[in-house]
Amino acid sequence: MAEELVKLTIEGVELSVPKGTTILEAAKQAGVLIPHYCYHPALPVAGVCRMCLVEVEKTPKLQIACATTVVEGQVVKVFSDQSVKARESVLEFLLINHPLDCPICDQAGECELQDYVFQEGRARTRYSEFPKRFNPVEDFGPDVLYVPNRCILCTRCVRFMEHAAEEEVLNVSERGDRAFIGIHPDKRLDHPWAGNVVDLCPVGSLLSKDFLHRARAWELDKTASVCTGCSQGCNTNLDTRNNMVVRIQPRANTDVNRYFICDHGRLSHRWMNRGDRIEAPLLSHGHELTAVDWDHALDRAAQIIKGCSGKGVALVSPGASLEALWLVRKLFTGLGLTGAFRVERVKGESPLPGVPGLALREERAPNATGARLLGYTETFDEALKTVEDASLVVVLDDALTGVSAETLARVPNLIYCGTVLPDAARGARVILPLANVAEEDGTFVNRDRRVQRYFQARATPGMARPAWWVLSELLQGLDRGESAGVAGDVFDVIAKTEPAFAGLSYGALGAKGAVLPDQATAGARA
Amino acid sequence: MGYPHKSHPKETVVLSQYFGDAEARTYDGWVKRGGYQALQKVLGMTPVEVTDVVKASGLRGRGGAGFPTGLKWSFMPKEKSKPHYLCCNADESEPGTFKDREIMRWTPHALIEGCAIAQLAIQAEVCFIYIRGEFTDPWAVMEKAVEEAYAKGTLGANAMGSGKRIDMHLHRGAGAYICGEETALMNSIEGKRGNPRIKPPFPAAQGLFALPTTINNVETLAAVPHIINRGADWYKALCLSNPKSVGTKLFSVCGHVQKPGNYEITLGYPLKDLIYDMCGGVLKGRTLKACIPGGSSVPFLNREESEGCLLDYEGCVAAGSMLGSAGCIVFDDSADMVYQTMRLAKFYAHESCAQCTQCREGTAWTVRILQKILDGDGTSKDLDLLLDLADQMTGKTICVLSDSCAAPVVSGIKKFRGEFEAYLKGARRAQVAVA
């Protein structure tokens, strides 16, 4: 059914948009961002900040663009004298009680009040003789502070808790200029998704305790990534400062997580910066581990693999990239492979009720679906029992928790590829240091079979390298493939050779990913 | 008036006929005075017929906006596919207005009958009467009257034996002025914070509980039984000036007059006569300085404007103000207009619901500037600033509370600039303790 289109003119640009579109959304398509605070595409319209007032020809009063739907033939002026004056006035009103403490405010640099005042505000305030409203900072929840003095009462946080989290713990308390965001006297802002109010807050009124005073916004580099907290695959941005991941924020993807991520995912970034990493390839010499260069290490690994025959076991992590999982499988060409993984499970999902299909999932790994599609099974414990009989065992970044050194000591040929070195892996003949998710490019497949790319956000420590590079170099040494120049090279071979991924290309995945067709059952061959 | 004084001979006594008559409060007393005949009649009419009578009568909303009542009723869906509601706005909180209070205190059954008729006209089985929280006496009277009407079978599942259901619930406000705004009132009934809603959608499409709703003022509804009983033509003929403004209107007069109180007049009656004749003029030895004809939200009239003003919707606009809720506040020459302006603005600053930026911040800022002027610290720039703020507070917000704060400021400065300048020059100091 064709959508009914409405034709209108915004700032001289003629455009057609579906009936029912608001002027604010239509303007975005005309390349005009109408300044706004209370409007957010994921929340019900409130129409209270009055920032998006625009002039609509033949309408006597200015209209709020967020709540006014388009009408055929409408002519909208965003930058007419009247509307610019109205917005300048709203900004002046918002600033009379707003402390100009930008130098110590975490939001500075990514503050919509700062931005619009810079763009359209008055150079000086006329509210110079009176004191500003003062209320003390409040502790709202495990990761949220409320600084009422900076609040512009846009009510995004209130609406998020009411309509998305469906847990009404916030409200607007009091009236007039005494108003502030109130919290339920017996409750905390501790919903598993509550941290989103910090992102939604257009000013520095709701702050993350985790990020408090950790960086200035302009020092941060943002890198598109995918959350590793569970199998949902929420799109994220990793914010790095001086090569450290200091914050994780949601990256909008209307097909997956809309504009949100849960607190579990938001706060799981410290491990990405851990300092106890393997920083060089290691070879065992008797009971000693010796650091060597890559050529040396890869040669030794190739030699070992060439000498193996019979059965092989791969113990992989469901947090590894699709590329790494596929390349590891290829190491076992000619051997009978048992490919196994284990995944942490936490009982009970934590959904965001207002967004259907979005939850912190029980399965706490980003790529278990990818592992299954490549033929790995969730049989870690069983596979571990068979390692003694295997001629080759490769571990891909499993932390080996609960695995004794004795068990692995009985393995004749153990190759450990990972980010950190567990004691149990010290008996490996070759240890290859890998990049973690923040340090490489790659893809994950989420629980809904969506293949999504993540990007490198920080440099690897020491000589650690992305798994796609390490393993493709190793395979080249074995004459089983070509060395990859980028992660996408590996993915594109997967797409060509694995029926489940047929038709995809790394480039076409883009920033939002692509869903695998349903009928493509696993290339379950292992 | 009827209470506590006898009606003035020049009043047109319709709604206020039984003010002060305690027996009229009871069901039987009301029936004895011709009550519930109109409802009986309407039970035999179709909704469209009832609406047409009210349309033809020319009755306009008495809450302030003056919207034609019959037209408002006709906006309700004709084909009833989901429940309809009637809301009666009895949250009379406009400073200077106290007419609905007297209607509820003395003639509760007139309101109940009016509501029931309106319910039949808009096909609403349920009516909510939202009564201002501070109205303890009217609340008690209304509660008793509704109870009686149910006991007599006038309300309930089989209203007056007609087989039709007419239910009525009283809802008590909690003290917020803004809950008198129609959509805030609906939010309040729903148990939410009383914040005005964005329109559209309008109440007739999505009102109370997102269902088709009509909301009318107490005085509007109380007039309906009279129109049904005596006919649209009778009501339409009650007119002294502009034919668009017909019927009687209760004026609540307060301030510097000899006899404050409620006066019921035919629309088009001169304000001058209301003040000097009915109310006995201003206090002895004083002269009239200003008047607010329609409740605290409308602009001031100065003496000349007041004396030339005809009290109807058009006449008040022509004089430079509005009829509003007909809360008439009279100021004599002892009044300090700067203080009065500040006091009005302060009310709005206190009552702003805090949704819209201009209102939340602008009302409070306006008060601070006015207070500063009263303290003797004003400068010449302050008046321009006040006018500029008022301009940005007008026509830019969800409801008109912000506009209502701006109106007295703009008219105060425009019409009494000399008094403001006297403060700025230091020639005048505040006489009253400014709180």
PDB file of all heavy atoms in Angstrom, chain A residues 48-50 85 89 97 126-127 129 152 172 174-178, chain B residues 193 349-350 352 355-358 361 368 372 388 392 396 398:
ATOM      1  N   VAL A  48       6.770  20.908  25.716  1.00  0.00           N
ATOM      2  CA  VAL A  48       6.872  21.840  26.837  1.00  0.00           C
ATOM      3  C   VAL A  48       8.049  22.811  26.758  1.00  0.00           C
ATOM      4  O   VAL A  48       7.984  23.879  27.354  1.00  0.00           O
ATOM      5  CB  VAL A  48       6.932  21.090  28.188  1.00  0.00           C
ATOM      6  CG1 VAL A  48       5.655  20.317  28.406  1.00  0.00           C
ATOM      7  CG2 VAL A  48       8.135  20.185  28.278  1.00  0.00           C
ATOM      8  N   CYS A  49       9.111  22.456  26.061  1.00  0.00           N
ATOM      9  CA  CYS A  49      10.279  23.351  26.114  1.00  0.00           C
ATOM     10  C   CYS A  49      10.049  24.599  25.278  1.00  0.00           C
ATOM     11  O   CYS A  49      10.645  25.626  25.512  1.00  0.00           O
ATOM     12  CB  CYS A  49      11.552  22.623  25.685  1.00  0.00           C
ATOM     13  SG  CYS A  49      11.671  22.303  23.915  1.00  0.00           S
ATOM     14  N   ARG A  50       9.153  24.511  24.302  1.00  0.00           N
ATOM     15  CA  ARG A  50       8.766  25.619  23.423  1.00  0.00           C
ATOM     16  C   ARG A  50       9.951  26.140  22.618  1.00  0.00           C
ATOM     17  O   ARG A  50       9.970  27.287  22.199  1.00  0.00           O
ATOM     18  CB  ARG A  50       8.127  26.781  24.216  1.00  0.00           C
ATOM     19  CG  ARG A  50       7.117  26.376  25.237  1.00  0.00           C
ATOM     20  CD  ARG A  50       6.059  25.467  24.728  1.00  0.00           C
ATOM     21  NE  ARG A  50       5.027  26.089  23.914  1.00  0.00           N
ATOM     22  CZ  ARG A  50       3.980  25.424  23.426  1.00  0.00           C
ATOM     23  NH1 ARG A  50       3.834  24.134  23.675  1.00  0.00           N
ATOM     24  NH2 ARG A  50       3.095  26.029  22.668  1.00  0.00           N
ATOM     25  N   LYS A  85      13.453  35.021  17.226  1.00  0.00           N
ATOM     26  CA  LYS A  85      13.282  35.815  18.448  1.00  0.00           C
ATOM     27  C   LYS A  85      12.673  34.956  19.567  1.00  0.00           C
ATOM     28  O   LYS A  85      13.070  35.032  20.735  1.00  0.00           O
ATOM     29  CB  LYS A  85      12.390  37.031  18.150  1.00  0.00           C
ATOM     30  CG  LYS A  85      11.942  37.834  19.356  1.00  0.00           C
ATOM     31  CD  LYS A  85      12.975  38.874  19.732  1.00  0.00           C
ATOM     32  CE  LYS A  85      12.771  39.651  20.935  1.00  0.00           C
ATOM     33  NZ  LYS A  85      12.675  39.639  22.201  1.00  0.00           N
ATOM     34  N   SER A  89      14.455  33.946  23.064  1.00  0.00           N
ATOM     35  CA  SER A  89      13.803  34.241  24.326  1.00  0.00           C
ATOM     36  C   SER A  89      13.718  32.994  25.213  1.00  0.00           C
ATOM     37  O   SER A  89      13.974  33.055  26.419  1.00  0.00           O
ATOM     38  CB  SER A  89      12.421  34.809  24.023  1.00  0.00           C
ATOM     39  OG  SER A  89      11.635  34.818  25.158  1.00  0.00           O
ATOM     40  N   ASN A  97      18.005  30.545  35.337  1.00  0.00           N
ATOM     41  CA  ASN A  97      18.268  29.726  36.518  1.00  0.00           C
ATOM     42  C   ASN A  97      19.311  28.647  36.273  1.00  0.00           C
ATOM     43  O   ASN A  97      19.461  27.735  37.073  1.00  0.00           O
ATOM     44  CB  ASN A  97      16.964  29.086  37.007  1.00  0.00           C
ATOM     45  CG  ASN A  97      16.168  30.048  37.858  1.00  0.00           C
ATOM     46  OD1 ASN A  97      16.726  30.649  38.781  1.00  0.00           O
ATOM     47  ND2 ASN A  97      14.908  30.223  37.544  1.00  0.00           N
ATOM     48  N   ARG A 126      19.827  39.452  30.594  1.00  0.00           N
ATOM     49  CA  ARG A 126      19.268  40.640  31.246  1.00  0.00           C
ATOM     50  C   ARG A 126      18.851  40.305  32.670  1.00  0.00           C
ATOM     51  O   ARG A 126      18.271  41.108  33.365  1.00  0.00           O
ATOM     52  CB  ARG A 126      18.069  41.138  30.416  1.00  0.00           C
ATOM     53  CG  ARG A 126      18.495  41.648  29.047  1.00  0.00           C
ATOM     54  CD  ARG A 126      17.308  42.067  28.222  1.00  0.00           C
ATOM     55  NE  ARG A 126      16.493  40.918  27.831  1.00  0.00           N
ATOM     56  CZ  ARG A 126      15.389  41.006  27.100  1.00  0.00           C
ATOM     57  NH1 ARG A 126      14.953  42.181  26.705  1.00  0.00           N
ATOM     58  NH2 ARG A 126      14.706  39.919  26.778  1.00  0.00           N
ATOM     59  N   TYR A 127      19.115  39.068  33.057  1.00  0.00           N
ATOM     60  CA  TYR A 127      18.777  38.619  34.419  1.00  0.00           C
ATOM     61  C   TYR A 127      20.043  38.670  35.242  1.00  0.00           C
ATOM     62  O   TYR A 127      20.711  37.681  35.452  1.00  0.00           O
ATOM     63  CB  TYR A 127      18.250  37.184  34.334  1.00  0.00           C
ATOM     64  CG  TYR A 127      17.717  36.599  35.625  1.00  0.00           C
ATOM     65  CD1 TYR A 127      16.402  36.815  36.021  1.00  0.00           C
ATOM     66  CD2 TYR A 127      18.521  35.810  36.431  1.00  0.00           C
ATOM     67  CE1 TYR A 127      15.902  36.251  37.182  1.00  0.00           C
ATOM     68  CE2 TYR A 127      18.031  35.248  37.607  1.00  0.00           C
ATOM     69  CZ  TYR A 127      16.722  35.471  37.968  1.00  0.00           C
ATOM     70  OH  TYR A 127      16.231  34.913  39.115  1.00  0.00           O
ATOM     71  N   GLU A 129      20.474  40.786  38.195  1.00  0.00           N
ATOM     72  CA  GLU A 129      20.440  41.299  39.579  1.00  0.00           C
ATOM     73  C   GLU A 129      19.893  40.310  40.594  1.00  0.00           C
ATOM     74  O   GLU A 129      19.896  40.588  41.785  1.00  0.00           O
ATOM     75  CB  GLU A 129      19.559  42.552  39.636  1.00  0.00           C
ATOM     76  CG  GLU A 129      20.032  43.661  38.774  1.00  0.00           C
ATOM     77  CD  GLU A 129      18.864  44.282  38.030  1.00  0.00           C
ATOM     78  OE1 GLU A 129      18.222  43.573  37.228  1.00  0.00           O
ATOM     79  OE2 GLU A 129      18.589  45.459  38.264  1.00  0.00           O
ATOM     80  N   ILE A 152      16.569  21.800  32.962  1.00  0.00           N
ATOM     81  CA  ILE A 152      15.682  22.679  32.198  1.00  0.00           C
ATOM     82  C   ILE A 152      14.268  22.093  32.103  1.00  0.00           C
ATOM     83  O   ILE A 152      13.450  22.551  31.313  1.00  0.00           O
ATOM     84  CB  ILE A 152      16.244  22.967  30.794  1.00  0.00           C
ATOM     85  CG1 ILE A 152      16.400  21.680  29.989  1.00  0.00           C
ATOM     86  CG2 ILE A 152      17.582  23.709  30.892  1.00  0.00           C
ATOM     87  CD1 ILE A 152      16.703  21.929  28.511  1.00  0.00           C
ATOM     88  N   VAL A 172       7.724  15.459  37.909  1.00  0.00           N
ATOM     89  CA  VAL A 172       8.025  16.872  38.113  1.00  0.00           C
ATOM     90  C   VAL A 172       7.379  17.236  39.433  1.00  0.00           C
ATOM     91  O   VAL A 172       6.177  17.061  39.604  1.00  0.00           O
ATOM     92  CB  VAL A 172       7.469  17.746  36.975  1.00  0.00           C
ATOM     93  CG1 VAL A 172       7.702  19.217  37.274  1.00  0.00           C
ATOM     94  CG2 VAL A 172       8.091  17.361  35.650  1.00  0.00           C
ATOM     95  N   GLU A 174       6.692  20.115  42.575  1.00  0.00           N
ATOM     96  CA  GLU A 174       6.498  21.554  42.764  1.00  0.00           C
ATOM     97  C   GLU A 174       6.010  22.236  41.478  1.00  0.00           C
ATOM     98  O   GLU A 174       5.850  21.595  40.450  1.00  0.00           O
ATOM     99  CB  GLU A 174       7.767  22.230  43.289  1.00  0.00           C
ATOM    100  CG  GLU A 174       7.718  22.492  44.795  1.00  0.00           C
ATOM    101  CD  GLU A 174       6.640  23.520  45.165  1.00  0.00           C
ATOM    102  OE1 GLU A 174       6.107  24.172  44.269  1.00  0.00           O
ATOM    103  OE2 GLU A 174       6.340  23.643  46.364  1.00  0.00           O
ATOM    104  N   ARG A 175       5.798  23.539  41.580  1.00  0.00           N
ATOM    105  CA  ARG A 175       5.249  24.299  40.454  1.00  0.00           C
ATOM    106  C   ARG A 175       6.132  25.500  40.186  1.00  0.00           C
ATOM    107  O   ARG A 175       7.034  25.812  40.958  1.00  0.00           O
ATOM    108  CB  ARG A 175       3.852  24.809  40.798  1.00  0.00           C
ATOM    109  CG  ARG A 175       2.826  23.751  40.965  1.00  0.00           C
ATOM    110  CD  ARG A 175       1.457  24.358  41.148  1.00  0.00           C
ATOM    111  NE  ARG A 175       1.350  25.213  42.317  1.00  0.00           N
ATOM    112  CZ  ARG A 175       0.281  25.278  43.107  1.00  0.00           C
ATOM    113  NH1 ARG A 175      -0.768  24.552  42.817  1.00  0.00           N
ATOM    114  NH2 ARG A 175       0.249  26.081  44.137  1.00  0.00           N
ATOM    115  N   GLY A 176       5.802  26.185  39.098  1.00  0.00           N
ATOM    116  CA  GLY A 176       6.481  27.432  38.776  1.00  0.00           C
ATOM    117  C   GLY A 176       7.977  27.241  38.695  1.00  0.00           C
ATOM    118  O   GLY A 176       8.463  26.163  38.347  1.00  0.00           O
ATOM    119  N   ASP A 177       8.712  28.289  39.032  1.00  0.00           N
ATOM    120  CA  ASP A 177      10.165  28.169  38.890  1.00  0.00           C
ATOM    121  C   ASP A 177      10.777  27.417  40.080  1.00  0.00           C
ATOM    122  O   ASP A 177      11.987  27.282  40.165  1.00  0.00           O
ATOM    123  CB  ASP A 177      10.819  29.548  38.714  1.00  0.00           C
ATOM    124  CG  ASP A 177      10.854  30.340  40.008  1.00  0.00           C
ATOM    125  OD1 ASP A 177       9.982  30.099  40.875  1.00  0.00           O
ATOM    126  OD2 ASP A 177      11.737  31.200  40.147  1.00  0.00           O
ATOM    127  N   ARG A 178       9.943  26.913  40.980  1.00  0.00           N
ATOM    128  CA  ARG A 178      10.458  26.049  42.055  1.00  0.00           C
ATOM    129  C   ARG A 178      10.489  24.590  41.613  1.00  0.00           C
ATOM    130  O   ARG A 178      10.928  23.714  42.359  1.00  0.00           O
ATOM    131  CB  ARG A 178       9.577  26.146  43.310  1.00  0.00           C
ATOM    132  CG  ARG A 178       9.615  27.450  44.050  1.00  0.00           C
ATOM    133  CD  ARG A 178       8.464  28.355  43.652  1.00  0.00           C
ATOM    134  NE  ARG A 178       7.133  27.802  43.867  1.00  0.00           N
ATOM    135  CZ  ARG A 178       6.091  28.047  43.053  1.00  0.00           C
ATOM    136  NH1 ARG A 178       6.229  28.808  41.979  1.00  0.00           N
ATOM    137  NH2 ARG A 178       4.909  27.533  43.314  1.00  0.00           N
TER     138      ARG A 178
ATOM    139  N   ARG B 193      -0.734  14.514  37.338  1.00  0.00           N
ATOM    140  CA  ARG B 193      -0.423  15.895  37.659  1.00  0.00           C
ATOM    141  C   ARG B 193      -1.262  16.788  36.753  1.00  0.00           C
ATOM    142  O   ARG B 193      -1.395  16.515  35.558  1.00  0.00           O
ATOM    143  CB  ARG B 193       1.065  16.132  37.393  1.00  0.00           C
ATOM    144  CG  ARG B 193       1.560  17.506  37.752  1.00  0.00           C
ATOM    145  CD  ARG B 193       3.059  17.598  37.477  1.00  0.00           C
ATOM    146  NE  ARG B 193       3.505  18.967  37.402  1.00  0.00           N
ATOM    147  CZ  ARG B 193       4.066  19.639  38.405  1.00  0.00           C
ATOM    148  NH1 ARG B 193       4.268  19.020  39.543  1.00  0.00           N
ATOM    149  NH2 ARG B 193       4.434  20.888  38.279  1.00  0.00           N
ATOM    150  N   ALA B 349       2.893  33.396  38.950  1.00  0.00           N
ATOM    151  CA  ALA B 349       4.203  32.769  39.134  1.00  0.00           C
ATOM    152  C   ALA B 349       4.077  31.591  40.096  1.00  0.00           C
ATOM    153  O   ALA B 349       4.713  30.560  39.937  1.00  0.00           O
ATOM    154  CB  ALA B 349       5.207  33.786  39.673  1.00  0.00           C
ATOM    155  N   HIS B 350       3.219  31.757  41.087  1.00  0.00           N
ATOM    156  CA  HIS B 350       3.030  30.684  42.055  1.00  0.00           C
ATOM    157  C   HIS B 350       2.291  29.509  41.451  1.00  0.00           C
ATOM    158  O   HIS B 350       2.527  28.354  41.803  1.00  0.00           O
ATOM    159  CB  HIS B 350       2.261  31.201  43.274  1.00  0.00           C
ATOM    160  CG  HIS B 350       2.162  30.201  44.387  1.00  0.00           C
ATOM    161  ND1 HIS B 350       1.021  29.470  44.625  1.00  0.00           N
ATOM    162  CD2 HIS B 350       3.073  29.783  45.273  1.00  0.00           C
ATOM    163  CE1 HIS B 350       1.242  28.648  45.647  1.00  0.00           C
ATOM    164  NE2 HIS B 350       2.483  28.818  46.053  1.00  0.00           N
ATOM    165  N   SER B 352       1.981  28.672  38.080  1.00  0.00           N
ATOM    166  CA  SER B 352       2.441  28.097  36.805  1.00  0.00           C
ATOM    167  C   SER B 352       2.723  26.611  36.994  1.00  0.00           C
ATOM    168  O   SER B 352       3.336  26.195  37.977  1.00  0.00           O
ATOM    169  CB  SER B 352       3.723  28.805  36.363  1.00  0.00           C
ATOM    170  OG  SER B 352       4.370  28.038  35.356  1.00  0.00           O
ATOM    171  N   GLN B 355       5.409  23.579  33.060  1.00  0.00           N
ATOM    172  CA  GLN B 355       5.709  22.859  31.817  1.00  0.00           C
ATOM    173  C   GLN B 355       6.475  23.761  30.841  1.00  0.00           C
ATOM    174  O   GLN B 355       7.593  23.451  30.450  1.00  0.00           O
ATOM    175  CB  GLN B 355       4.420  22.392  31.138  1.00  0.00           C
ATOM    176  CG  GLN B 355       3.817  21.145  31.731  1.00  0.00           C
ATOM    177  CD  GLN B 355       2.775  20.531  30.792  1.00  0.00           C
ATOM    178  OE1 GLN B 355       3.005  19.512  30.172  1.00  0.00           O
ATOM    179  NE2 GLN B 355       1.621  21.158  30.696  1.00  0.00           N
ATOM    180  N   CYS B 356       5.840  24.841  30.417  1.00  0.00           N
ATOM    181  CA  CYS B 356       6.430  25.658  29.355  1.00  0.00           C
ATOM    182  C   CYS B 356       7.476  26.610  29.920  1.00  0.00           C
ATOM    183  O   CYS B 356       7.277  27.243  30.953  1.00  0.00           O
ATOM    184  CB  CYS B 356       5.349  26.461  28.644  1.00  0.00           C
ATOM    185  SG  CYS B 356       4.094  25.416  27.908  1.00  0.00           S
ATOM    186  N   THR B 357       8.576  26.712  29.194  1.00  0.00           N
ATOM    187  CA  THR B 357       9.706  27.513  29.654  1.00  0.00           C
ATOM    188  C   THR B 357       9.312  28.968  29.912  1.00  0.00           C
ATOM    189  O   THR B 357       9.614  29.521  30.976  1.00  0.00           O
ATOM    190  CB  THR B 357      10.822  27.451  28.603  1.00  0.00           C
ATOM    191  OG1 THR B 357      11.103  26.090  28.323  1.00  0.00           O
ATOM    192  CG2 THR B 357      12.074  28.137  29.116  1.00  0.00           C
ATOM    193  N   GLN B 358       8.636  29.589  28.925  1.00  0.00           N
ATOM    194  CA  GLN B 358       8.310  31.020  29.053  1.00  0.00           C
ATOM    195  C   GLN B 358       7.504  31.290  30.311  1.00  0.00           C
ATOM    196  O   GLN B 358       7.681  32.316  30.960  1.00  0.00           O
ATOM    197  CB  GLN B 358       7.469  31.488  27.848  1.00  0.00           C
ATOM    198  CG  GLN B 358       8.208  31.527  26.542  1.00  0.00           C
ATOM    199  CD  GLN B 358       8.019  30.228  25.767  1.00  0.00           C
ATOM    200  OE1 GLN B 358       7.810  29.183  26.346  1.00  0.00           O
ATOM    201  NE2 GLN B 358       8.136  30.313  24.454  1.00  0.00           N
ATOM    202  N   GLU B 361       9.642  30.290  33.827  1.00  0.00           N
ATOM    203  CA  GLU B 361      10.714  31.228  34.152  1.00  0.00           C
ATOM    204  C   GLU B 361      10.238  32.674  34.044  1.00  0.00           C
ATOM    205  O   GLU B 361      10.637  33.528  34.833  1.00  0.00           O
ATOM    206  CB  GLU B 361      11.909  31.004  33.223  1.00  0.00           C
ATOM    207  CG  GLU B 361      12.410  29.554  33.153  1.00  0.00           C
ATOM    208  CD  GLU B 361      13.042  29.058  34.450  1.00  0.00           C
ATOM    209  OE1 GLU B 361      13.349  29.895  35.321  1.00  0.00           O
ATOM    210  OE2 GLU B 361      13.214  27.831  34.583  1.00  0.00           O
ATOM    211  N   ARG B 368       9.977  39.286  40.067  1.00  0.00           N
ATOM    212  CA  ARG B 368      11.200  39.838  40.667  1.00  0.00           C
ATOM    213  C   ARG B 368      11.462  41.265  40.202  1.00  0.00           C
ATOM    214  O   ARG B 368      11.865  42.119  40.998  1.00  0.00           O
ATOM    215  CB  ARG B 368      12.397  38.945  40.317  1.00  0.00           C
ATOM    216  CG  ARG B 368      12.415  37.744  41.226  1.00  0.00           C
ATOM    217  CD  ARG B 368      13.585  36.828  41.000  1.00  0.00           C
ATOM    218  NE  ARG B 368      13.140  35.525  41.497  1.00  0.00           N
ATOM    219  CZ  ARG B 368      13.233  34.380  40.864  1.00  0.00           C
ATOM    220  NH1 ARG B 368      13.840  34.325  39.703  1.00  0.00           N
ATOM    221  NH2 ARG B 368      12.767  33.281  41.377  1.00  0.00           N
ATOM    222  N   LYS B 372      11.386  44.522  42.549  1.00  0.00           N
ATOM    223  CA  LYS B 372      12.552  45.404  42.587  1.00  0.00           C
ATOM    224  C   LYS B 372      12.124  46.864  42.406  1.00  0.00           C
ATOM    225  O   LYS B 372      12.595  47.756  43.110  1.00  0.00           O
ATOM    226  CB  LYS B 372      13.529  45.007  41.465  1.00  0.00           C
ATOM    227  CG  LYS B 372      14.867  45.708  41.533  1.00  0.00           C
ATOM    228  CD  LYS B 372      15.754  45.352  40.354  1.00  0.00           C
ATOM    229  CE  LYS B 372      15.398  46.183  39.146  1.00  0.00           C
ATOM    230  NZ  LYS B 372      16.387  46.134  38.069  1.00  0.00           N
ATOM    231  N   ASP B 388       8.979  43.392  27.043  1.00  0.00           N
ATOM    232  CA  ASP B 388       9.574  42.415  26.135  1.00  0.00           C
ATOM    233  C   ASP B 388       9.309  40.995  26.636  1.00  0.00           C
ATOM    234  O   ASP B 388       8.948  40.112  25.853  1.00  0.00           O
ATOM    235  CB  ASP B 388      11.079  42.683  26.014  1.00  0.00           C
ATOM    236  CG  ASP B 388      11.693  41.866  24.892  1.00  0.00           C
ATOM    237  OD1 ASP B 388      11.095  41.869  23.792  1.00  0.00           O
ATOM    238  OD2 ASP B 388      12.725  41.211  25.109  1.00  0.00           O
ATOM    239  N   GLN B 392       7.035  37.894  24.894  1.00  0.00           N
ATOM    240  CA  GLN B 392       7.479  36.514  24.664  1.00  0.00           C
ATOM    241  C   GLN B 392       6.671  35.499  25.483  1.00  0.00           C
ATOM    242  O   GLN B 392       6.758  34.304  25.254  1.00  0.00           O
ATOM    243  CB  GLN B 392       8.974  36.383  24.987  1.00  0.00           C
ATOM    244  CG  GLN B 392       9.864  37.059  23.960  1.00  0.00           C
ATOM    245  CD  GLN B 392       9.596  36.555  22.543  1.00  0.00           C
ATOM    246  OE1 GLN B 392       9.335  35.386  22.308  1.00  0.00           O
ATOM    247  NE2 GLN B 392       9.621  37.472  21.576  1.00  0.00           N
ATOM    248  N   LYS B 396       2.615  31.766  23.176  1.00  0.00           N
ATOM    249  CA  LYS B 396       3.695  30.848  22.829  1.00  0.00           C
ATOM    250  C   LYS B 396       3.707  29.578  23.676  1.00  0.00           C
ATOM    251  O   LYS B 396       4.616  28.772  23.574  1.00  0.00           O
ATOM    252  CB  LYS B 396       5.040  31.572  22.949  1.00  0.00           C
ATOM    253  CG  LYS B 396       5.150  32.726  21.962  1.00  0.00           C
ATOM    254  CD  LYS B 396       6.506  33.331  21.888  1.00  0.00           C
ATOM    255  CE  LYS B 396       6.576  34.378  20.795  1.00  0.00           C
ATOM    256  NZ  LYS B 396       5.584  35.481  20.938  1.00  0.00           N
ATOM    257  N   ILE B 398       1.492  26.307  25.994  1.00  0.00           N
ATOM    258  CA  ILE B 398       0.410  25.337  25.824  1.00  0.00           C
ATOM    259  C   ILE B 398      -0.928  25.962  26.222  1.00  0.00           C
ATOM    260  O   ILE B 398      -1.890  25.911  25.482  1.00  0.00           O
ATOM    261  CB  ILE B 398       0.683  24.061  26.652  1.00  0.00           C
ATOM    262  CG1 ILE B 398       1.899  23.314  26.089  1.00  0.00           C
ATOM    263  CG2 ILE B 398      -0.554  23.156  26.653  1.00  0.00           C
ATOM    264  CD1 ILE B 398       2.296  22.074  26.868  1.00  0.00           C
TER     265      ILE B 398
END
